Amino acid sequence: MHMGHVTRTVRRIQLQRAQSGVTLVELIIALMVLFVGMFGALAFMSIALTNSLNANKLLLARNLAEETLNQIIMMREMNAIGGIPEPGNRNQNTFIRLSNRLDLNGIFPPEFRPVYRSPGRDMIRGTADPDEISSGIDPRYESFTMRVLVRTAFTTSGCFDKEYDNSYDLSNDSNCPPESNTDLVKRVIVQVRYPYTRVAGSALRTVQIVTLMTQPPSQIRGI
């Protein structure tokens, strides 16, 4: 009777040990599955967050380009490109200053520049006038840069067939000729460059909008 009790006790201990070993293996497997799931979820969240940030930057870049083009159009309508003329010179042709050419006293630098808080006294972003620069970098557009290119509307070079090709340099005069001092219609290109995050690291992407622009009606009518 005593031996039988001892035997049952030994078997019970062995069974408990066996059950304990199986539970440990199951626990390890469960933890591995849990970790794999957690890492997958974290990776998905990281990708989703990156895509969201990139989409927000793209939206900011588009809004900035449209805002700048609207500012140019408004000042063109007022015949005030580069500043409102004195009352005695209200028919002064300021349309000629819608240019990248220094010889025409153009107001737009041909290179990309930071985005400042204020458009400055001329009320147009990207002209780099002293009031604009002194306003400081706009924190909404940190690491953003922009430029305004002015090109002739009368060209057979075919460059505007490639105006949405970021690898094609529209600022190169041999690719896209600048406007002449007699052009009454100009092609205005607003470009905004912003940082784009990707798996291999960050890169720069460019948003651009293009429009044709004529002299303001008041200048054409001479009133």
Side-chain angles (χ1 to χ4, degrees):
M1 186 71 175
H2 180 69
M3 289 298 295
H5 177 72
V6 172
T7 302
R8 287 194 299 272
T9 302
V10 172
R11 288 179 178 175
R12 186 167 60 251
I13 293 173
Q14 291 176 343
L15 180 60
Q16 289 175 349
R17 288 180 177 176
Q19 290 176 343
S20 177
V22 172
T23 303
L24 182 59
V25 172
E26 291 176 345
L27 178 61
I28 293 174
I29 294 175
L31 288 175
M32 290 177 61
V33 172
L34 178 62
F35 287 147
V36 170
M38 288 179 60
F39 289 143
L42 289 174
F44 176 78
M45 291 175 61
S46 176
I47 293 173
L49 179 60
T50 299
N51 290 339
S52 176
L53 292 174
N54 286 334
N56 184 58
K57 291 177 183 177
L58 173 60
L59 180 60
L60 284 173
R62 285 178 175 171
N63 288 343
L64 178 60
E66 291 175 0
E67 174 192 337
T68 302
L69 183 59
N70 288 336
Q71 290 169 340
I72 295 172
I73 293 173
M74 178 183 69
M75 301 313 290
R76 187 283 310 265
E77 291 295 320
M78 296 173 60
N79 192 28
I81 297 294
I84 298 176
E86 296 295 329
N89 298 319
R90 69 177 185 273
N91 290 330
Q92 176 182 339
N93 183 7
T94 65
F95 184 71
I96 197 171
R97 297 199 65 191
L98 180 63
S99 175
N100 302 118
R101 294 175 55 178
L102 294 177
D103 59 319
L104 299 181
N105 200 20
I107 63 174
F108 294 105
E111 69 275 0
F112 281 93
R113 300 183 65 88
V115 182
Y116 299 98
R117 293 176 184 268
S118 169
R121 187 172 299 177
D122 58 23
M123 299 302 295
I124 303 175
R125 287 186 185 271
T127 58
D129 66 80
D131 293 327
E132 180 180 358
I133 295 175
S134 64
S135 68
I137 302 295
D138 192 326
R140 295 174 299 171
Y141 304 111
E142 186 176 359
S143 301
F144 283 52
T145 55
M146 67 173 296
R147 70 177 173 183
V148 177
L149 296 176
V150 183
R151 292 291 180 262
T152 179
F154 305 104
T155 176
T156 58
S157 65
C159 66
F160 296 111
D161 295 334
K162 302 179 180 181
E163 62 190 22
Y164 298 106
D165 181 357
N166 289 333
S167 63
Y168 195 80
D169 188 5
L170 294 175
S171 65
N172 188 325
D173 291 351
S174 62
N175 289 340
C176 277
E179 88 290 355
S180 72
N181 58 356
T182 59
D183 278 350
L184 302 181
V185 180
K186 301 178 182 181
R187 191 177 297 261
V188 180
I189 308 157
V190 180
Q191 296 179 324
V192 177
R193 184 169 288 174
Y194 66 97
Y196 178 86
T197 304
R198 54 186 183 181
V199 176
S202 60
L204 293 176
R205 288 194 173 183
T206 303
V207 167
Q208 67 179 20
I209 54 177
V210 184
T211 190
L212 291 175
M213 199 167 293
T214 65
Q215 280 192 328
S218 60
Q219 184 64 38
I220 294 174
R221 296 195 301 268
I223 60 175

